[in-house]
């Protein structure tokens, strides 16, 4: 009996050490581009816009002239055409409907020279009848290519933030009184 209890204590101790070693290996992800915006819209409405190509195009404030889903099966493939005439292929590789976030992998054929890979993460958070949207991008590659892509993605994120803000503006037309 003494050997069994000693063996159980030894096994328990080893599993705690293993778990601790695994937790120490976890690292915080740092992003190259970050844009946060709080909009006057419920999180569910903002999430619907982010997930529907035609609404997302409208929310881009003219930055994206077309967003076309080329394969609706998961992982979702789509092509984004920008106002400057460039096109980007991308894959929505992760969508979490419960926590309302997504991860988008940019197609290697769409990346500037010197960039190995890039991905965009979009997080939403409910904030007292408003929604906080966080756009983040992680880019791997050389400094020159990274700088060019960071500038383009920053402009894209800024356009989305402005577009979402414009979508929340409700104007009431004036009525002529006689």
């Amino acid at each position: 009996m003494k050997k069994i209890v000693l063996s159980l204590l030894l096994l328990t101790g080893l599993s705690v050490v293993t778990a601790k070693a695994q937790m120490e290996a976890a690292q915080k992800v740092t992003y190259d581009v970050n844009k946060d915006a709080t909009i006057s819209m419920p999180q569910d409405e903002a999430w619907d816009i982010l997930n529907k190509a035609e609404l997302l195009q409208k929310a881009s404030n003219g930055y994206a002239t077309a967003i076309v889903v080329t394969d609706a099966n998961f992982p979702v493939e789509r092509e984004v055409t920008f106002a400057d005439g460039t096109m980007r292929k991308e894959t929505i590789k992760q969508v979490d409907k419960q926590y309302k976030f997504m991860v988008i992998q940019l197609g290697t054929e769409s990346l500037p020279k010197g960039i190995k890979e890039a991905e965009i993460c979009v997080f939403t958070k409910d904030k007292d009848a408003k929604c906080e949207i966080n756009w983040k991008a992680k880019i791997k590659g050389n400094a020159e290519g990274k700088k060019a892509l960071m500038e383009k993605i920053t402009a894209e994120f800024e356009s989305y933030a402005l577009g979402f803000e414009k979508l929340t503006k409700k104007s009431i037309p004036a009525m002529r009184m006689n």
Side-chain angles (χ1 to χ4, degrees):
M1 183 70 165
K2 204 176 193 181
K3 287 182 180 180
I4 293 172
V5 171
L6 188 57
S7 297
L8 287 173
L9 287 173
L10 183 62
L11 285 172
T12 305
L14 286 174
S15 66
V16 169
V17 170
T18 303
K20 186 175 187 274
Q22 288 176 350
M23 290 302 288
E24 289 174 1
Q27 296 177 356
K28 186 176 179 179
V29 175
T30 56
Y31 294 95
D32 300 298
V33 182
N34 296 289
K35 176 63 183 169
D36 301 330
T38 301
I39 56 171
S40 299
M41 178 184 292
Q43 183 184 22
D44 288 337
E45 286 181 31
W47 181 247
D48 284 344
I49 292 169
L50 289 166
N51 280 286
K52 293 181 180 159
E54 63 279 355
L55 295 177
L56 185 60
Q57 178 184 332
K58 185 175 180 181
S60 78
N61 196 38
Y63 196 79
T65 57
I67 301 174
V68 178
V69 175
T70 56
D71 185 357
N73 296 321
F74 198 80
V76 176
E77 303 283 334
R78 65 185 185 184
E79 293 178 351
V80 182
T81 305
F82 298 100
D84 66 2
T86 60
M87 189 197 71
R88 178 176 74 208
K89 292 186 179 192
E90 55 188 35
T91 304
I92 301 173
K93 66 179 195 173
Q94 183 178 0
V95 175
D96 189 306
K97 293 177 183 175
Q98 180 181 357
Y99 296 105
K100 296 180 177 55
F101 74 88
M102 69 176 68
V103 179
I104 304 164
Q105 183 76 43
L106 305 188
T108 53
E109 66 277 4
S110 302
L111 298 175
K113 187 177 180 180
I115 300 298
K116 295 177 184 175
E117 68 178 72
E119 70 181 16
I120 294 172
C121 303
V122 184
F123 302 94
T124 66
K125 183 178 179 183
D126 188 31
K127 197 172 186 180
D128 300 324
K130 293 185 177 184
C131 179
E132 185 177 291
I133 304 176
N134 310 106
W135 291 274
K136 301 180 180 300
K138 180 83 176 145
I139 304 167
K140 293 182 184 176
N142 68 28
E144 186 179 323
K146 196 170 183 176
K147 182 181 176 191
L149 188 56
M150 285 174 61
E151 287 174 3
K152 184 164 180 139
I153 289 176
T154 298
E156 181 179 354
F157 290 174
E158 291 289 338
S159 292
Y160 281 120
L162 184 60
F164 267 92
E165 189 62 36
K166 283 183 176 181
L167 288 175
T168 63
K169 301 281 186 227
K170 293 185 171 120
S171 63
I172 300 171
M175 186 172 151
R176 190 172 177 158
M177 302 290 285
N178 288 338

